[in-house]
């Protein structure tokens, strides 16, 4: 089976357990003249990754990924302060791949531009 990698991908890691976060739903949106428009969605696999989050190619512009971290921690019986983590970012160079990782714990999160 061949999987096409989308232009924007993600990886979620649970820093509290030191393990990938499987089962986290993520939604990718693009900013348009009329507001935010959903262009993709997915759920992290056993390695905490979503390789097919959205289109194979996107235009330059502003995007955001929202992660349903509350449902993830709730499924583990863990209280969390952040029910949803949303990361806004800009795609400037459409020839480059954009990887948006998320590191989570029940009461903190961080991100960076991955490759």
């Amino acid at each position: 089976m061949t999987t096409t990698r989308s232009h924007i991908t993600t990886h979620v890691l649970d820093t509290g357990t030191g393990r990938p976060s499987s089962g986290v739903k993520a939604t990718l949106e693009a900013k348009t003249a009329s507001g935010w428009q959903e262009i993709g969605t997915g759920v992290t696999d056993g390695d905490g990754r979503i390789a097919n989050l959205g289109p194979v190619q996107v235009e330059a512009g502003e995007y955001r990924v929202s992660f349903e971290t509350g449902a993830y921690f709730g499924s583990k019986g863990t209280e969390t302060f952040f029910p949803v983590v949303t990361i806004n970012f800009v795609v400037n160079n459409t020839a480059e791949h954009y990887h948006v990782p998320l590191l989570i714990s029940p009461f903190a999160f961080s991100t960076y531009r991955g490759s």
Side-chain angles (χ1 to χ4, degrees):
M1 179 166 92
T2 303
T3 302
T4 303
R5 183 173 81 165
S6 56
H7 198 169
I8 298 167
T9 57
T10 191
H11 189 191
V12 183
L13 298 170
D14 184 333
T15 60
T17 64
R19 311 270 313 146
S21 302
S22 63
V24 178
K25 182 179 179 188
T27 303
L28 175 63
E29 297 173 285
K31 190 171 189 179
T32 67
S34 59
W36 290 99
Q37 177 184 355
E38 182 179 311
I39 60 170
T41 189
V43 176
T44 57
D45 63 16
D47 194 33
R49 297 178 184 275
I50 304 175
N52 58 349
L53 181 58
V56 174
Q57 186 67 41
V58 298
E59 298 178 3
E62 190 173 341
Y63 294 86
R64 70 182 180 192
V65 181
S66 296
F67 300 88
E68 294 185 15
T69 52
Y72 167 76
F73 284 114
S75 73
K76 302 195 173 319
T78 303
E79 179 184 354
T80 182
F81 186 67
F82 302 103
V84 176
V85 172
T86 301
I87 301 168
N88 291 53
F89 59 97
V90 175
V91 170
N92 287 321
N93 183 345
T94 59
E96 294 181 359
H97 173 76
Y98 285 78
H99 186 62
V100 184
L102 176 65
L103 307 174
I104 58 172
S105 71
F107 299 97
F109 67 89
S110 68
T111 188
Y112 57 95
R113 166 106 193 253
S115 56

